[in-house]
């Protein structure tokens, strides 16, 4: 069955960095868009970054552009999110998700139908 397992979350001070990982199994990883999404307490889940099956065409939310980098290793079935210059407003549960590649990978929650359980990121000021 499909499994997405996030890791790498934790607590860090503002200005610090974290690297999230998402290990995928149970489907043909290289045929799927992959994305990172987050949800802060009391807020709706939002898009962070997505990447196409070949590891190109990354898209980022304006709030993380220039600070976060999404990447993937198809040989390891693993997705990454390098987060630098973290801010308190980045505090959230971070989820990875997969969407079958239909020609492009949109920066939207719609169509991402495989989800992990999430990893918590807490940034203190």
């Amino acid at each position: 069955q499909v499994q997405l397992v996030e890791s790498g979350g934790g607590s860090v001070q503002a200005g610090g960095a974290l690297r999230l990982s998402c290990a995928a199994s149970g489907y043909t990883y290289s045929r799927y868009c992959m994305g990172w999404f987050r949800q802060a307490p009391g807020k709706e889940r939002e898009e962070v970054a997505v990447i196409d099956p070949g590891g190109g065409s990354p898209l980022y939310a304006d709030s993380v552009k220039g600070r976060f980098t999404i990447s993937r290793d198809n040989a390891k079935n693993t997705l990454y999110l390098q987060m630098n210059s973290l801010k308190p407003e980045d505090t959230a549960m971070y989820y990875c998700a997969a969407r079958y590649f239909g020609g492009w990978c949109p920066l939207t929650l719609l169509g991402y139908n495989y989800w992990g359980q999430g990893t918590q990121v807490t940034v203190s000021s």
Side-chain angles (χ1 to χ4, degrees), residues 16-105:
L18 285 172
R19 188 193 196 204
L20 306 184
S21 298
C22 170
S25 61
Y27 68 103
T28 307
Y29 180 74
S30 60
R31 294 181 182 174
Y32 281 71
C33 306
M34 295 297 297
W36 287 101
F37 304 83
R38 67 187 182 185
Q39 187 166 18
K43 295 188 176 181
E44 293 187 351
R45 193 169 296 190
E46 64 179 8
E47 308 85 356
V48 175
V50 299
I51 192 166
D52 74 17
S57 303
L59 296 175
Y60 298 93
D62 288 344
S63 59
V64 306
K65 278 181 183 175
R67 300 188 298 122
F68 291 10
T69 303
I70 189 171
S71 62
R72 63 191 292 166
D73 185 337
N74 285 355
K76 296 181 178 179
N77 285 9
T78 303
L79 177 73
Y80 303 100
L81 185 69
Q82 178 65 45
M83 306 187 295
N84 298 330
S85 303
L86 282 161
K87 303 176 181 180
E89 51 263 45
D90 294 318
T91 295
M93 185 72 78
Y94 283 71
Y95 301 88
C96 68
R99 168 187 169 129
Y100 187 76
F101 182 65
W104 70 301
C105 298

